[in-house]
PDB file of all heavy atoms in Angstrom:
ATOM      1  N   ASN A  28     161.865 142.247 133.751  1.00  0.00           N
ATOM      2  CA  ASN A  28     162.160 143.613 133.294  1.00  0.00           C
ATOM      3  C   ASN A  28     160.956 144.185 132.583  1.00  0.00           C
ATOM      4  O   ASN A  28     161.085 144.912 131.611  1.00  0.00           O
ATOM      5  CB  ASN A  28     163.344 143.600 132.334  1.00  0.00           C
ATOM      6  CG  ASN A  28     164.648 143.376 133.070  1.00  0.00           C
ATOM      7  OD1 ASN A  28     164.704 143.705 134.244  1.00  0.00           O
ATOM      8  ND2 ASN A  28     165.632 142.809 132.413  1.00  0.00           N
ATOM      9  N   GLY A  29     159.799 143.790 133.074  1.00  0.00           N
ATOM     10  CA  GLY A  29     158.566 144.260 132.437  1.00  0.00           C
ATOM     11  C   GLY A  29     158.447 145.759 132.526  1.00  0.00           C
ATOM     12  O   GLY A  29     159.213 146.418 133.195  1.00  0.00           O
ATOM     13  N   ALA A  30     157.434 146.219 131.825  1.00  0.00           N
ATOM     14  CA  ALA A  30     157.247 147.682 131.699  1.00  0.00           C
ATOM     15  C   ALA A  30     157.202 148.349 133.080  1.00  0.00           C
ATOM     16  O   ALA A  30     157.758 149.415 133.270  1.00  0.00           O
ATOM     17  CB  ALA A  30     155.987 147.972 130.941  1.00  0.00           C
ATOM     18  N   GLU A  31     156.556 147.656 134.031  1.00  0.00           N
ATOM     19  CA  GLU A  31     156.419 148.260 135.367  1.00  0.00           C
ATOM     20  C   GLU A  31     157.770 148.525 136.019  1.00  0.00           C
ATOM     21  O   GLU A  31     157.951 149.512 136.711  1.00  0.00           O
ATOM     22  CB  GLU A  31     155.636 147.313 136.275  1.00  0.00           C
ATOM     23  CG  GLU A  31     154.161 147.649 136.309  1.00  0.00           C
ATOM     24  CD  GLU A  31     153.394 146.726 137.209  1.00  0.00           C
ATOM     25  OE1 GLU A  31     153.986 146.278 138.220  1.00  0.00           O
ATOM     26  OE2 GLU A  31     152.228 146.436 136.904  1.00  0.00           O
ATOM     27  N   ASP A  32     158.688 147.554 135.777  1.00  0.00           N
ATOM     28  CA  ASP A  32     159.996 147.690 136.417  1.00  0.00           C
ATOM     29  C   ASP A  32     160.935 148.631 135.675  1.00  0.00           C
ATOM     30  O   ASP A  32     161.862 149.156 136.251  1.00  0.00           O
ATOM     31  CB  ASP A  32     160.683 146.326 136.558  1.00  0.00           C
ATOM     32  CG  ASP A  32     159.963 145.484 137.595  1.00  0.00           C
ATOM     33  OD1 ASP A  32     159.303 146.076 138.457  1.00  0.00           O
ATOM     34  OD2 ASP A  32     160.063 144.246 137.519  1.00  0.00           O
ATOM     35  N   GLU A  33     160.627 148.794 134.366  1.00  0.00           N
ATOM     36  CA  GLU A  33     161.531 149.639 133.601  1.00  0.00           C
ATOM     37  C   GLU A  33     161.452 151.087 134.039  1.00  0.00           C
ATOM     38  O   GLU A  33     162.429 151.812 134.024  1.00  0.00           O
ATOM     39  CB  GLU A  33     161.186 149.553 132.114  1.00  0.00           C
ATOM     40  CG  GLU A  33     162.105 148.608 131.367  1.00  0.00           C
ATOM     41  CD  GLU A  33     161.597 148.304 129.959  1.00  0.00           C
ATOM     42  OE1 GLU A  33     160.981 149.211 129.370  1.00  0.00           O
ATOM     43  OE2 GLU A  33     161.801 147.185 129.481  1.00  0.00           O
ATOM     44  N   THR A  34     160.235 151.492 134.416  1.00  0.00           N
ATOM     45  CA  THR A  34     160.036 152.898 134.726  1.00  0.00           C
ATOM     46  C   THR A  34     160.942 153.374 135.866  1.00  0.00           C
ATOM     47  O   THR A  34     161.705 154.320 135.681  1.00  0.00           O
ATOM     48  CB  THR A  34     158.534 153.180 135.042  1.00  0.00           C
ATOM     49  OG1 THR A  34     157.780 152.496 134.054  1.00  0.00           O
ATOM     50  CG2 THR A  34     158.239 154.629 135.084  1.00  0.00           C
ATOM     51  N   PRO A  35     160.934 152.629 137.032  1.00  0.00           N
ATOM     52  CA  PRO A  35     161.832 153.119 138.069  1.00  0.00           C
ATOM     53  C   PRO A  35     163.293 153.111 137.680  1.00  0.00           C
ATOM     54  O   PRO A  35     164.030 154.005 138.072  1.00  0.00           O
ATOM     55  CB  PRO A  35     161.569 152.143 139.241  1.00  0.00           C
ATOM     56  CG  PRO A  35     160.674 151.092 138.752  1.00  0.00           C
ATOM     57  CD  PRO A  35     160.121 151.528 137.445  1.00  0.00           C
ATOM     58  N   GLU A  36     163.653 152.074 136.823  1.00  0.00           N
ATOM     59  CA  GLU A  36     165.065 152.032 136.452  1.00  0.00           C
ATOM     60  C   GLU A  36     165.452 153.295 135.658  1.00  0.00           C
ATOM     61  O   GLU A  36     166.470 153.904 135.894  1.00  0.00           O
ATOM     62  CB  GLU A  36     165.352 150.777 135.628  1.00  0.00           C
ATOM     63  CG  GLU A  36     166.806 150.357 135.768  1.00  0.00           C
ATOM     64  CD  GLU A  36     167.034 149.051 135.051  1.00  0.00           C
ATOM     65  OE1 GLU A  36     167.101 149.065 133.842  1.00  0.00           O
ATOM     66  OE2 GLU A  36     167.098 148.026 135.747  1.00  0.00           O
ATOM     67  N   THR A  37     164.546 153.667 134.742  1.00  0.00           N
ATOM     68  CA  THR A  37     164.799 154.886 133.958  1.00  0.00           C
ATOM     69  C   THR A  37     164.901 156.105 134.886  1.00  0.00           C
ATOM     70  O   THR A  37     165.792 156.920 134.757  1.00  0.00           O
ATOM     71  CB  THR A  37     163.659 155.107 132.933  1.00  0.00           C
ATOM     72  OG1 THR A  37     163.434 153.863 132.294  1.00  0.00           O
ATOM     73  CG2 THR A  37     164.026 156.138 131.930  1.00  0.00           C
ATOM     74  N   ASP A  38     163.970 156.135 135.876  1.00  0.00           N
ATOM     75  CA  ASP A  38     163.984 157.241 136.821  1.00  0.00           C
ATOM     76  C   ASP A  38     165.318 157.346 137.553  1.00  0.00           C
ATOM     77  O   ASP A  38     165.854 158.417 137.761  1.00  0.00           O
ATOM     78  CB  ASP A  38     162.868 157.084 137.853  1.00  0.00           C
ATOM     79  CG  ASP A  38     161.542 157.584 137.293  1.00  0.00           C
ATOM     80  OD1 ASP A  38     161.553 158.180 136.199  1.00  0.00           O
ATOM     81  OD2 ASP A  38     160.531 157.367 137.943  1.00  0.00           O
ATOM     82  N   THR A  39     165.787 156.124 137.956  1.00  0.00           N
ATOM     83  CA  THR A  39     167.053 156.101 138.706  1.00  0.00           C
ATOM     84  C   THR A  39     168.173 156.725 137.896  1.00  0.00           C
ATOM     85  O   THR A  39     168.943 157.519 138.388  1.00  0.00           O
ATOM     86  CB  THR A  39     167.429 154.658 139.069  1.00  0.00           C
ATOM     87  OG1 THR A  39     166.282 154.048 139.621  1.00  0.00           O
ATOM     88  CG2 THR A  39     168.573 154.622 140.054  1.00  0.00           C
ATOM     89  N   VAL A  40     168.169 156.356 136.576  1.00  0.00           N
ATOM     90  CA  VAL A  40     169.212 156.917 135.723  1.00  0.00           C
ATOM     91  C   VAL A  40     169.128 158.433 135.683  1.00  0.00           C
ATOM     92  O   VAL A  40     170.110 159.124 135.845  1.00  0.00           O
ATOM     93  CB  VAL A  40     169.109 156.308 134.287  1.00  0.00           C
ATOM     94  CG1 VAL A  40     170.061 157.028 133.359  1.00  0.00           C
ATOM     95  CG2 VAL A  40     169.390 154.839 134.334  1.00  0.00           C
ATOM     96  N   VAL A  41     167.870 158.912 135.569  1.00  0.00           N
ATOM     97  CA  VAL A  41     167.693 160.367 135.521  1.00  0.00           C
ATOM     98  C   VAL A  41     168.174 160.973 136.834  1.00  0.00           C
ATOM     99  O   VAL A  41     168.906 161.966 136.859  1.00  0.00           O
ATOM    100  CB  VAL A  41     166.215 160.731 135.274  1.00  0.00           C
ATOM    101  CG1 VAL A  41     165.980 162.207 135.442  1.00  0.00           C
ATOM    102  CG2 VAL A  41     165.802 160.299 133.878  1.00  0.00           C
ATOM    103  N   GLU A  42     167.759 160.302 137.949  1.00  0.00           N
ATOM    104  CA  GLU A  42     168.181 160.833 139.242  1.00  0.00           C
ATOM    105  C   GLU A  42     169.706 160.858 139.366  1.00  0.00           C
ATOM    106  O   GLU A  42     170.288 161.818 139.844  1.00  0.00           O
ATOM    107  CB  GLU A  42     167.616 159.962 140.371  1.00  0.00           C
ATOM    108  CG  GLU A  42     166.218 160.390 140.798  1.00  0.00           C
ATOM    109  CD  GLU A  42     165.554 159.354 141.659  1.00  0.00           C
ATOM    110  OE1 GLU A  42     166.285 158.594 142.320  1.00  0.00           O
ATOM    111  OE2 GLU A  42     164.335 159.310 141.636  1.00  0.00           O
TER     112      GLU A  42
END
Side-chain angles (χ1 to χ4, degrees):
N28 286 334
E31 265 181 32
D32 289 337
E33 261 169 32
T34 315
E36 207 175 76
T37 313
D38 278 352
T39 312
V40 172
V41 171
E42 273 167 27

